Amino acid sequence: MELITTSLLCFLACSAFFLFLLKPFSSNKRANLPLPPGSLGWPYIGETFQLYSQNPNVFFASKQKRYGSIFKTHILGCPCIMISSPEAAKFVLVTRAHLFKPTFPASKERMLGKQAIFFHQGDYHIKLRKLVLRAFMPEAIKNIVSDIETIANDSLQSWEGRLINTFQEMKTFTFNVALLSIFGKDEILYREDLKRCYFILEKGYNSMPINLPGTLFHKSMKARKELAQILAKILATRRQNQQDHSDLLGSFMGDKEGLTDEQIADNIIGVIFAARDTTASVLTWILKYLGENPCVLEAVTEEQRSILRAKEECDEENKALTWADTKRMPITARVIQETLRVASILSFTFREAVEDVEYQGYLIPKGWKVLPLFRNIHHSSDFFPEPEKFDPSRFMVAPKPNTYMPFGNGTHSCPGNELAKLEMLVLLHHLTTKYRWTVVGAQNGIQYGPFALPQNGLPIRLRSHS
Ligand code: HEM
Ligand SMILES: *[C@@H]1O[C@H](CO)[C@@H](O)[C@H](O)[C@H]1NC(C)=O
Ligand SMILES: *[C@@H]1O[C@H](CO)[C@@H](O)[C@H](O)[C@H]1NC(C)=O
């Protein structure tokens, strides 16, 4: 989620640091423990300048080299502890998850809605997570494979022969799939309105949170209201018709204890936000890596053609892709896994210690941010030999626990991971069997906006290929 990465640069106010200055030592025995190594830089300005002036991954990697897999630093006024070992990631995200709560800047909370799943811990979080998982688990998304296929097919057809910005077009694809998984077939009726509002809302995500007429923030708050109104209409229709729906909205509405309309709105906007740019940027990286590795592209194409052939040989009328078909794509699945590793689009996530915590003899003080650095773990040669090399075959052996966490781990891990993998497989099926593409312009750069993307969103020209 872009949420996570941008929030790093948006931590303008951080009371925890002041608390630390005022009360550096509490009375319990943990207070005598040393802090992890590292430098805190100048208070408040911290090491932010260094972070801004370098690729963030270089910044983290050089720190890790100097201090090891746990070190302290200071970003935009916040004292932080960065961790980059599987053991520490397991400690923070899984076994001691209750000691580390999710943390985001207030402006993000205002935009997405305070009641969205990401911001919570405890009973409300558990309840939401159950509802979200119910809508995105294999049993539920099995039924929408052919609808996803139609969306993929339509997207590809609309790109044919044109010069396109891969990332922008993938965003349309992943947006449409997200709406389908949330609203089911109701989606088509409201797609254009939802899209228009969401696009305005999104523009305000990274703007200054000043709510005055004319500002981006003001416009996006208005769009948010309009989204809530569209949603109210859909909710009213569904309540009247009283049918059951297996999509996310159906799951939210079916809860016995009941979610309020506002809770539903916050979480639907949150899911679109979590689902769209993440999946679109992974797809963009996949096209880049397949383009640079023709042998891998050939192997994927051959695998996908064999699925087509098997369907042609069987007598069934219906040639649509099925869930079972998507389980017969191991080569394509490894390309997705390896892209998630190399690109590591969510380089890290944020937590905040809810009390003083001891880890391996070090003190993690209450209120400090803790950042598990996924990308550093994924790029460690201890777990992935020649880490910079794109080599899907390395996933023929399963990675060790907590060395590969593109979807996180523990209580807040990604509930949409099955849907993300499914929609990528379906798009790649049609893309590789029917089309070829060429990248337009020089392609070496990476842009951070806010997470890593090939330069200019990877402009390509797509043509049909038989
Ligand atoms: C390839 C695409 C995706 C990647 C790499 C990804 C990655 C992640 C990661 C790493 C987290 C955990 C963050 C943390 O622990 O702080 C997360 C959380 C989440 N993701 Fe995804 N995600 C993707 C697609 C999706 C999709 C398609 C959906 C929805 C259908 C989704 C919904 C969510 C939600 C709701 C959460 C918050 C869960 C919670 O706080 O309990 N994601 N995602
Ligand atoms: C996908 O598009 C092709 C044309 O490119 C069409 O012949 C085919 O029937 C479509 N398949 C699905 C599942 O919509
Ligand atoms: C998440 O943590 C558990 C417990 O350590 C582990 O068994 C599992 O393999 C981890 N998942 C990933 C994706 O590493």
Side-chain angles (χ1 to χ4, degrees):
M1 279 170 299
E2 139 185 352
L3 186 66
I4 295 172
T5 345
T6 43
S7 28
L8 172 65
L9 304 176
C10 302
F11 266 119
L12 290 170
C14 182
S15 50
F17 178 60
F18 288 120
L19 287 177
F20 176 67
L21 282 184
L22 293 174
K23 192 171 163 271
F25 300 110
S26 47
S27 53
N28 69 30
K29 66 175 178 355
R30 291 204 185 98
N32 300 323
L33 293 169
L35 290 167
S39 72
L40 288 173
W42 291 97
Y44 235 77
I45 302 165
E47 307 203 39
T48 315
F49 284 141
Q50 271 132 298
L51 182 63
Y52 266 123
S53 57
Q54 291 172 1
N55 165 344
N57 304 312
V58 174
F59 174 84
F60 294 144
S62 72
K63 290 273 180 185
Q64 188 189 329
K65 210 163 162 193
R66 182 147 165 217
Y67 300 115
S69 66
I70 174 165
F71 60 86
K72 65 177 180 293
T73 184
H74 217 155
I75 292 169
L76 281 168
C78 294
C80 298
I81 289 175
M82 313 268 187
I83 56 169
S84 58
S85 72
E87 297 72 30
K90 175 178 160 184
F91 183 84
V92 171
L93 299 172
V94 187
T95 51
R96 300 296 144 75
H98 59 289
L99 300 178
F100 300 95
K101 65 174 186 191
T103 168
F104 295 94
S107 64
K108 285 283 180 297
E109 266 187 43
R110 286 244 306 267
M111 200 65 69
L112 291 175
K114 283 202 289 293
Q115 316 207 55
I117 183 167
F118 326 99
F119 310 127
H120 294 270
Q121 187 88 322
D123 291 344
Y124 177 64
H125 178 254
I126 291 170
K127 166 172 157 177
L128 277 176
R129 218 176 140 79
K130 221 174 64 202
L131 299 176
V132 173
L133 279 168
R134 188 160 79 196
F136 294 134
M137 67 185 185
E139 278 312 312
I141 58 177
K142 264 178 189 170
N143 308 318
I144 59 168
V145 178
S146 67
D147 298 315
I148 296 176
E149 187 177 15
T150 307
I151 298 174
N153 210 23
D154 291 352
S155 302
L156 286 163
Q157 250 174 308
S158 77
W159 305 344
E160 190 176 337
R162 287 167 50 209
L163 170 65
I164 61 158
N165 177 313
T166 307
F167 181 57
Q168 289 306 323
E169 297 296 331
M170 291 298 183
K171 280 200 322 195
T172 304
F173 169 65
T174 56
F175 187 78
N176 290 339
V177 173
L179 290 188
L180 171 74
S181 69
I182 295 167
F183 299 110
K185 303 276 192 197
D186 294 356
E187 176 258 328
I188 313 284
L189 281 173
Y190 298 98
R191 192 188 274 180
E192 291 315 311
D193 283 336
L194 289 167
K195 201 173 280 179
R196 182 178 46 77
C197 293
Y198 188 80
F199 287 178
I200 302 169
L201 177 65
E202 175 192 48
K203 283 214 192 96
Y205 277 149
N206 299 314
S207 66
M208 295 287 278
I210 303 168
N211 203 356
L212 288 175
T215 60
L216 279 177
F217 188 80
H218 185 77
K219 285 186 187 137
S220 69
M221 294 312 267
K222 254 177 72 185
R224 202 175 187 296
K225 281 203 192 106
E226 204 183 328
L227 270 176
Q229 283 159 5
I230 300 172
L231 195 64
K233 256 194 274 182
I234 303 176
L235 283 167
T237 317
R238 283 201 180 185
R239 281 178 184 138
Q240 228 162 33
N241 298 345
Q242 296 206 332
Q243 303 147 290
D244 278 342
H245 293 265
S246 61
D247 47 42
L248 183 68
L249 187 59
S251 182
F252 283 162
M253 290 178 69
D255 181 39
K256 281 189 292 298
E257 292 135 72
L259 291 179
T260 66
D261 287 10
E262 201 181 315
Q263 288 172 332
I264 293 179
D266 288 3
N267 281 288
I268 282 179
I269 294 169
V271 163
I272 297 175
F273 184 72
R276 190 188 67 163
D277 290 18
T278 45
T279 316
S281 78
V282 175
L283 279 165
T284 305
W285 282 109
I286 292 177
L287 263 67
K288 178 171 164 66
Y289 294 135
L290 286 178
E292 289 169 357
N293 296 273
C295 297
V296 178
L297 175 58
E298 269 326 291
V300 170
T301 307
E302 192 36 53
E303 174 172 85
Q304 295 299 341
R305 287 211 175 114
S306 78
I307 300 223
L308 272 185
R309 279 197 298 271
K311 296 188 100 50
E312 269 150 27
E313 278 159 21
C314 86
D315 311 318
E316 263 178 60
E317 263 306 292
N318 191 350
K319 305 284 186 208
L321 276 179
T322 62
W323 176 261
D325 291 328
T326 65
K327 295 290 150 192
R328 292 186 204 109
M329 305 175 174
I331 299 175
T332 317
R334 288 198 290 268
V335 166
I336 294 172
Q337 281 182 296
E338 177 68 339
T339 302
L340 284 165
R341 185 192 69 82
V342 180
S344 289
I345 54 148
L346 292 173
S347 323
F348 54 86
T349 188
F350 275 105
R351 295 290 188 271
E352 183 183 310
V354 299
E355 58 184 66
D356 283 356
V357 182
E358 176 181 349
Y359 177 71
Q360 292 202 336
Y362 291 123
L363 173 68
I364 302 177
K366 177 179 175 178
W368 281 40
K369 309 289 177 200
V370 178
L371 281 69
L373 305 182
F374 297 132
R375 178 177 248 275
N376 291 47
I377 301 175
H378 296 167
H379 283 245
S380 160
S381 55
D382 296 344
F383 316 122
F384 300 99
E386 291 187 77
E388 302 313 315
K389 189 171 156 202
F390 179 81
D391 176 12
S393 74
R394 66 172 87 236
F395 282 97
M396 288 167 83
V397 181
K400 297 201 180 69
N402 300 298
T403 60
Y404 178 68
M405 292 169 286
F407 295 107
N409 200 2
T411 46
H412 285 275
S413 69
C414 183
N417 77 90
E418 290 286 349
L419 179 66
K421 288 183 277 193
L422 174 65
E423 65 186 286
M424 293 194 276
L425 288 169
V426 171
L427 188 101
L428 289 171
H429 172 78
H430 286 278
L431 175 71
T432 58
T433 53
K434 293 194 260 179
Y435 300 94
R436 281 298 175 267
W437 62 95
T438 40
V439 174
V440 176
Q443 270 299 326
N444 298 310
I446 296 181
Q447 87 196 33
Y448 296 89
F451 43 63
L453 256 190
Q455 199 167 34
N456 302 322
L458 196 73
I460 61 166
R461 204 176 279 285
L462 192 79
R463 56 178 195 285
S464 82
H465 163 87
S466 39

